[in-house]
Structures are given as structure tokens and as C-alpha cells.
Amino acid sequence: MSSHLKNPVNETDHIQGSSNASIEIVEYGDYQCSYCGEAYPIIKRIQAKFGDQIKFVFRNFPLTEIHPYAYDAALAAEAAGLQGKFWEMHDLLFEHQNALDKHSIMKLAERLDVDIQLFEEDMQSAVLQKRIDDSLESGMLSGVNGTPSFFINGGKFNGGAQDLSDLLDESAE
């Protein structure tokens, strides 16, 4: 049974690329997941290769039972997002995946030149916690059971990031 994205991409999502892109990739990911960490540079390579043909959306799906820092990392990305720095924090979290405790996250935030006091307050925000919880729920409704999980143009892609890269490489030929 194939799964489809139950919650379409909307204005609450974090989106990179053209809104008119012919290919929409939605990733449900966890900043502490090593497989998501492996997918990160592959997604960057796909974005560089296909440019405006790709709309990339990242949705938080922290697997807190096995990744104790994943939820705080998701909160950090969302808190940075409130200051217009979601993608910058997203990248830093993946690039420093082995150091995601609260102290390390604060060091990353300082590098982004965000308002640190506001960032710390937002990390405690019930609104951001609900946003992450809603993302988790939408993933579960769409059949996400691990990370990373990708949806291409609304359909669940049953493969990893390398398979995604191979698929897109083949479609470009």
C-alpha cells in the first residue's frame, strides 16, 4: 500500500526553492538521526543540480525515544526560524550532529547572530512545541515510521536519500 502526504505543503512549512517547481520533495527528518545526516549533503547536491525545478520542504520528526537531543534540535531550528534563520540553523544542526545538547545548540545560535534572549525564550514556546507535535502527527498520518522519510510530489518514496539522488539523476538524462 503506497502512502501519500496527508497534510499538503502550506504556508506554515519551511520551503526552499521555487513555489512553481515541478518536483516537490518533503522530508520528515530528525536532526540527531545519522541517516538524516547522510541524506543532508545528498539533498544539498540535488538542490544544486536541479535548482528551481525542486521545491524542498523539511518537516520535523524527532524520534525522541532513541535520540534524546532531537526535540531540542527541532525547537532550535523553529526558534531560529522565528528570526528568519531556519535554514541556517537547519544546516548547522546537521553539520554539528554529534553535539546537539543544549549548550552546543546555544553556541550554534550565537554563530547565527540571532537575538539570544529571544531565541532562549522561543525554545520554551508552547507554540513551537505544538508546531513540532503537529509535524509529527502529520508524518504519522502519512505513514512515516522512520527518518528520513521522503515524499515526492505527494507520494511516499520508499528509499533512502541515495536512492532519491539516483532516481533524480536518471530522470535528468
Side-chain angles (χ1 to χ4, degrees), residues 142-164:
S142 298
V144 172
N145 55 9
T147 56
S149 285
F150 296 99
F151 291 80
I152 301 176
N153 293 340
K156 190 163 194 270
F157 179 74
N158 294 313
Q162 187 58 54
D163 299 319
L164 182 63

Side-chain angles (χ1 to χ4, degrees), residues 19-171:
S19 59
N20 301 322
S22 58
I23 302 169
E24 177 184 271
I25 301 172
V26 176
E27 176 184 356
Y28 281 91
D30 172 325
Y31 290 109
Q32 199 178 351
C33 166
S34 62
Y35 299 111
C36 294
E38 291 170 12
Y40 168 74
I42 294 170
I43 292 295
K44 288 286 190 197
R45 196 179 92 231
I46 290 169
Q47 289 177 299
K49 180 175 181 175
F50 292 97
D52 285 343
Q53 296 173 48
I54 299 273
K55 177 192 331 182
F56 178 66
V57 176
F58 185 86
R59 291 181 174 172
N60 286 297
F61 201 83
L63 300 171
T64 55
E65 301 83 24
I66 54 176
H67 300 135
Y69 302 123
Y71 199 89
D72 281 346
L75 279 171
E78 295 295 341
L82 292 178
Q83 296 187 47
K85 304 268 181 143
F86 175 85
W87 290 107
E88 292 90 337
M89 180 60 88
H90 167 88
D91 292 355
L92 284 174
L93 291 167
F94 276 126
E95 290 162 10
H96 297 88
Q97 195 174 43
N98 296 325
L100 296 179
D101 58 277
K102 281 192 194 283
H103 175 75
S104 299
I105 285 173
M106 293 311 297
K107 290 280 187 210
L108 295 177
E110 289 169 6
R111 288 177 55 182
L112 291 180
D113 197 29
V114 295
D115 178 326
I116 293 298
Q117 184 176 346
L118 183 58
F119 178 84
E120 285 183 290
E121 290 170 16
D122 289 337
M123 286 276 297
Q124 308 299 317
S125 164
V127 171
L128 294 186
Q129 291 171 17
K130 181 175 179 349
R131 176 178 242 195
I132 293 166
D133 294 345
D134 288 349
S135 182
L136 276 162
E137 184 179 327
S138 84
M140 288 186 275
L141 288 171
S142 298
V144 172
N145 55 9
T147 56
S149 285
F150 296 99
F151 291 80
I152 301 176
N153 293 340
K156 190 163 194 270
F157 179 74
N158 294 313
Q162 187 58 54
D163 299 319
L164 182 63
S165 178
D166 293 344
L167 173 76
L168 291 173
D169 285 345
E170 289 169 16
S171 70

